[in-house]
Amino acid sequence: MERDGNFQGGNSPNFSSCWILTESQEFIRRTFSFLPAKTLGICSGVCKAWYAEVKRVLHHREEIGWATFGRIEAEEVSHGNEDQLGPFGAHLNACLKTLGSLPRHAIVFSECLSLEEFQEETDFGHEETNSSGTRKTLQKSLEAVRSKLPVESSVVFVHSDGTMGCKPDLSPAGETEGSWGTACALLPNMDGVTVECQRHYRNKLTRSEMEAYVARHGMPADTKCVLVFSSGGPQRGGRFFELLQRGFQEEFGTMPVIVGGIARNVGMDDQTRTNETGTNSKKLPSCLTVTFSGPNVRAASVVLDNSVTTRDKARSKFQELKKLGLPGKHSLAFLFSCVGRGRHFYQAEDVESGAFHEVFPDTPLVGFFGGGEYGCDNFTLGRSVQESADQGSADLRHRNALKKLQNLEKSFTCVVCLLSFG
């Protein structure tokens, strides 16, 4: 067949076809460039040449993924989903089927604790299980999420009182408060970005342990953001965050964004951390941290306090983030709101998540409702504390606040963190 697609008569050699066959590597390269990561994983097992090409293609992909089963879907879905993670599992499968990158880290916020809850077969009024039962139940849900991801992936699981997220087209999926919602962010390996997940146990949250951790055990000098998810109330949270802040300021002269919230339970599954110091498989951790560091990471956070009572006021606060100039694409936002807010506070649906999407239409958002929030207005963007204060922050009050430790424990607020990956 000729290059223009016309057949050539006779038995003469078809040199055009021979030319195409000799350029098969280019054909494979172009074909693989259109395939999602899950399909490429299958192709990689064909031969060594295909494996090498798949590895090369995936190395240049840094696509962030997300999957949400929100209020809007909950109002429409029918029971009897065959996936062990129910409707959320179907959404996660659809995301993984089209995602261009291999996810390395999954951060899951869910109102569901057990697989039965994911399948909507039980009621929120069921009796509370004991701590051992909770650990085993959560572990099954963790394993169900992990079973859908590459073997080397880590999963952070936060069992919360409500969730928020976005659809594949980045429109709000609907904030859930008692509607079996789940939101998940999927992060690939990215150049210039290091993501580190860490468990903490209450007996380890001492001053000497935390100072040693910040200074010598895993939190690098170029840390830009630390997500913190705790359970069981804020009894020792204040000390924990004070030590985090003080460690970074005294050791490195920086003030990374520290945000998060208090959930019902937290858990983590990471097959690469089998020798993690202080890990105790017989109980759930009291706190999880997810650290983002590297030259391509920038982060900022803003707090909506109880004076923000309308969509317009929420939008105005998000505009403060917008003025920092962080790109909307190749970014990810986390939203942590108090259980006292939501539709009952605003007398309307999806106010905070909806206002965010109006200001950042190109940025995926995931988050949860909790029993307390962690964070502050932080616009340093990774600069040193002194440099941020000298180069003109938002106002005099903020410049002065940079020079001292901030109060990160909040209540009846909404904390939003915007992360940019270059």
Side-chain angles (χ1 to χ4, degrees):
M1 189 170 68
E2 297 284 4
R3 292 187 188 182
D4 59 4
N6 296 322
F7 282 100
Q8 191 177 50
N11 297 321
S12 59
N14 190 332
F15 294 104
S16 297
S17 299
C18 293
W19 179 84
I20 292 175
L21 289 174
T22 58
E23 296 296 327
S24 60
Q25 187 66 25
E26 178 65 20
F27 173 76
I28 293 172
R29 179 176 293 113
R30 290 180 179 272
T31 302
F32 282 7
S33 68
F34 294 102
L35 299 180
K38 193 168 186 177
T39 304
L40 287 174
I42 299 173
C43 295
S44 67
V46 173
C47 62
K48 291 182 178 180
W50 282 31
Y51 174 82
E53 189 57 35
V54 167
K55 188 175 181 180
R56 189 197 67 80
V57 171
L58 290 176
H59 178 73
H60 295 283
R61 292 185 181 179
E62 299 181 347
E63 183 180 344
I64 298 170
W66 61 92
T68 304
F69 177 62
R71 189 196 73 256
I72 296 174
E73 291 89 350
E75 293 171 349
E76 301 171 350
V77 74
S78 60
H79 292 262
N81 192 290
E82 295 181 359
D83 194 285
Q84 63 178 335
L85 290 173
F88 167 70
H91 285 250
L92 181 57
N93 290 338
C95 172
L96 293 172
K97 187 176 180 179
T98 59
L99 188 63
S101 300
L102 288 175
R104 175 62 182 85
H105 303 278
I107 303 176
V108 182
F109 307 129
S110 181
E111 292 177 76
C112 304
L113 178 64
S114 67
L115 294 177
E116 290 76 17
E117 289 175 340
F118 275 106
Q119 297 164 359
E120 299 185 289
E121 295 178 0
T122 60
D123 190 274
F124 272 125
H126 68 282
E127 294 183 3
E128 292 291 332
T129 57
N130 58 40
S131 59
S132 176
T134 298
R135 180 185 62 81
K136 293 178 180 178
T137 300
L138 178 57
Q139 188 61 35
K140 290 181 179 179
S141 296
L142 270 167
E143 292 172 354
V145 175
R146 266 197 51 81
S147 67
K148 299 177 180 295
L149 303 174
V151 175
E152 67 274 13
S153 298
S154 67
V155 179
V156 169
F157 193 100
V158 178
H159 175 216
S160 65
D161 293 296
T163 64
M164 65 281 294
C166 56
K167 297 180 179 180
D169 63 358
L170 290 174
S171 62
E175 297 174 6
T176 66
E177 299 169 79
S179 300
W180 310 106
T182 302
C184 174
L186 302 170
L187 299 172
N189 285 328
M190 295 176 278
D191 287 339
V193 178
T194 301
V195 182
E196 181 76 11
C197 304
Q198 179 77 32
R199 302 176 183 89
H200 303 274
Y201 294 85
R202 197 165 300 281
N203 63 345
K204 290 290 185 180
L205 303 185
T206 63
R207 180 174 296 276
S208 59
E209 287 286 339
M210 283 310 303
E211 287 179 347
Y213 178 68
V214 171
R216 299 187 296 274
H217 294 284
M219 284 195 172
D222 61 350
T223 295
K224 307 298 180 20
C225 178
V226 184
L227 302 181
V228 184
F229 310 121
S230 64
S231 63
Q235 290 88 349
R236 300 185 66 177
R239 189 179 189 187
F240 177 70
F241 299 120
E242 177 187 343
L243 292 171
L244 275 180
Q245 286 190 101
R246 191 178 300 281
F248 279 110
Q249 288 196 17
E250 294 181 354
E251 189 73 17
F252 307 123
T254 62
M255 191 178 79
V257 170
I258 302 175
V259 295
I262 300 174
R264 293 184 177 186
N265 301 283
V266 297
M268 188 180 90
D269 191 344
D270 188 349
Q271 299 300 314
T272 67
R273 301 185 66 86
T274 54
N275 296 320
E276 184 178 36
T277 302
T279 298
N280 187 339
S281 61
K282 295 185 179 180
K283 65 177 182 178
L284 291 171
S286 55
C287 183
L288 300 176
T289 56
V290 183
T291 304
F292 296 85
S293 60
N296 288 345
V297 182
R298 290 194 294 169
S301 61
V302 67
V303 176
L304 283 63
D305 59 23
N306 56 13
S307 66
V308 178
T309 56
T310 67
R311 194 184 190 98
D312 287 341
K313 291 181 179 179
R315 189 185 302 110
S316 178
K317 287 293 291 185
F318 295 140
Q319 288 290 351
E320 295 183 22
L321 282 178
K322 189 77 170 181
K323 293 177 182 178
L324 297 176
L326 294 178
K329 294 184 177 181
H330 204 45
S331 297
L332 176 64
F334 292 95
L335 190 154
F336 310 110
S337 190
C338 178
V339 292
R341 298 176 76 91
R343 63 177 178 270
H344 298 297
F345 178 73
Y346 289 103
Q347 296 300 304
E349 301 279 10
D350 310 329
V351 170
E352 292 170 344
S353 59
F356 178 87
H357 284 295
E358 291 177 11
V359 180
F360 293 94
D362 298 323
T363 304
L365 169 75
V366 294
F368 69 89
F369 290 95
E373 306 79 59
Y374 307 128
C376 64
D377 288 352
N378 187 335
F379 307 135
T380 61
L381 297 179
R383 297 187 298 266
S384 69
V385 174
Q386 188 60 47
E387 181 185 4
S388 299
D390 293 341
Q391 291 187 358
S393 299
D395 52 34
L396 178 61
R397 182 182 63 179
H398 185 66
R399 291 198 299 273
N400 291 334
L402 289 173
K403 299 177 181 179
K404 61 181 180 181
L405 294 178
Q406 301 242 25
N407 178 20
L408 296 178
E409 289 186 275
K410 299 290 190 297
S411 61
F412 213 63
T413 64
C414 170
V415 179
V416 178
C417 170
L418 180 62
L419 273 164
S420 172
F421 303 111

